[in-house]
Amino acid sequence: TLMMLGPTIDMVWLGRLGSAAIAGVGVSGMAVMLLNSMMMGLAQGMRAVIARFIGAGDNESANHSAQQAFAICAVFSVIMAAVGIFYAESILILLGLEPDVVAEGAAYMRVLFIGFASMSYRMLIESIMQASGDTVTPMIQTMIYRVIHVVLCPFLIFGWWIFPEMGVVGAAVTNIISQTIGTLLGIWYLFTGRTRVKMTLKNFSIDFSMIRRIIRIGFPALISGLQRNATQLILMSFVVPFGTIAVAAHTLNQRIEMILLMPCFALGMGAAV
C-alpha cells in the first residue's frame, strides 16, 4: 500500500497543474509499469530461488543468486533508459493522446526511465529481504523513502523555498530521489547484515546457469505482469477519444484501485515465501 501511496499523493499536487498533467503522468505511469512488470517477474524468479536456498540453510548459494539478480538488473536498467530517451513521445503518440498530454507525459516518462536503475534495484533489494522471510525491514525502508517522497514532491513541482519549479518533471525527479534513498538504505541493510540475509560481493562472477534458472522461473510471472498491465493500456486507448479530462479521471481511478489491490498482492507474496 505504501508503494502506491506516494504516486497517488503526487496526483493531489499535479491536479493544480491541470487535467493534461494528470493525464500525462497517469498514462506514462502505466507505460512504465508495463515495462517494470518485466523486472518484477524476474524478481519473483529470484525470490523463489533465494527462499529455497534460505530454507535449505545454504546462505552462500542465496548470496550467489542475489549477485546474479543484481547483474540482470544492471542490464535491464540500461535497456529501459534507452527506451525512455528515444521512445517516450512515440509511446504516448501511439495511444492517440492530445499534444499537451504527450508533452507532459513524455517529460515525466523520460526521467523515470533514465532513473530506472534506482527503482529496479530498490525492488530487487526488497525482494531479497522478503525471500529470506524478513518483511519488516523492507516495510521500514519503504516508510522512510515514501515520507521523503511525499514531503519533497510539492517543493519540486511548484518551486517552493530554494527549489526550482519543475512541474511534472519535479514529480518524476522526486520519485527517483526518494527511491534512490530507499535503494541506498536497502544496500546498507543487506551488506551490513541488518536483515536475515547478509549479502557480499565476495567471489562474484557471472553465472549464466543461475541467470537462466532465475529467468526460467520468473518468465511466467513476467508474462502475467505484461498482460495485466497491457490490458490497462488497451483500456486506456478506448478512453482517449473521450478527451483529456476522461483520461485524467481514469488514471486517478486506477491509482485508487491499485491501493485496494495491494493487500492481496502482499498475501500472495507471503504465501510464496
Side-chain angles (χ1 to χ4, degrees):
T1 302
L2 288 169
M3 279 301 303
M4 290 303 301
L5 183 61
T8 303
I9 290 178
D10 285 354
M11 290 297 190
V12 175
W13 301 112
L14 290 170
R16 300 186 181 187
L17 301 181
S19 56
I22 294 179
V25 169
V27 177
S28 296
M30 291 180 198
V32 172
M33 279 302 300
L34 175 65
L35 297 176
N36 193 39
S37 62
M38 299 173 67
M39 191 62 220
M40 291 172 69
L42 295 176
Q44 287 193 37
M46 179 212 63
R47 189 183 291 123
V49 172
I50 291 180
R52 178 170 295 182
F53 284 135
I54 292 292
D58 188 352
N59 291 329
E60 184 177 344
S61 294
N63 180 69
H64 179 65
S65 57
Q67 290 175 346
Q68 305 312 306
F70 266 59
I72 295 172
C73 187
V75 174
F76 194 80
S77 297
V78 171
I79 295 172
M80 290 302 99
V83 170
I85 292 170
F86 296 109
Y87 298 108
E89 285 90 355
S90 300
I91 292 171
L92 297 175
I93 291 172
L94 188 63
L95 291 170
L97 295 164
E98 295 292 331
D100 56 342
V101 178
V102 171
E104 298 278 23
Y108 180 85
M109 187 191 299
R110 187 171 287 109
V111 173
L112 288 188
F113 275 132
I114 291 173
F116 198 83
S118 65
M119 294 188 287
S120 296
Y121 276 108
R122 190 267 313 156
M123 178 178 61
L124 199 65
I125 289 166
E126 288 180 1
S127 295
I128 291 170
M129 291 188 280
Q130 291 161 352
S132 72
D134 180 5
T135 56
V136 175
T137 303
M139 180 190 70
I140 295 171
Q141 173 189 341
T142 303
M143 289 175 65
I144 292 171
Y145 82 78
R146 277 305 176 205
V147 167
I148 294 171
H149 181 155
V150 170
V151 172
L152 182 61
C153 189
F155 286 86
L156 290 181
I157 290 177
F158 302 114
W160 291 355
W161 195 35
I162 61 173
F163 297 93
E165 183 178 351
M166 303 175 72
V168 296
V169 173
V173 171
T174 302
N175 204 335
I176 297 303
I177 290 173
S178 62
Q179 297 215 38
T180 299
I181 292 171
T183 300
L184 295 175
L185 185 60
I187 289 173
W188 180 70
Y189 280 133
L190 275 182
F191 284 85
T192 57
R194 286 173 168 78
T195 181
R196 291 188 63 181
V197 57
K198 183 176 181 179
M199 189 172 173
T200 71
L201 296 178
K202 184 179 178 181
N203 300 322
F204 171 72
S205 62
I206 299 296
D207 183 350
F208 289 105
S209 63
M210 178 59 73
I211 290 174
R212 282 194 297 270
R213 182 178 180 183
I214 292 172
I215 293 175
R216 185 179 70 249
I217 295 173
F219 189 74
L222 182 154
I223 297 300
S224 296
L226 278 178
Q227 64 82 21
R228 181 171 58 249
N229 288 284
T231 301
Q232 298 291 349
L233 278 177
I234 292 171
L235 179 59
M236 179 59 74
S237 69
F238 291 117
V239 176
V240 168
F242 293 94
T244 298
I245 293 177
V247 172
H250 184 64
T251 58
L252 291 173
N253 176 72
Q254 287 193 314
R255 294 289 172 97
I256 296 170
E257 181 183 319
M258 283 302 299
I259 291 177
L260 299 177
L261 287 174
M262 281 296 128
C264 298
F265 290 150
L267 292 173
M269 186 184 301
V273 172

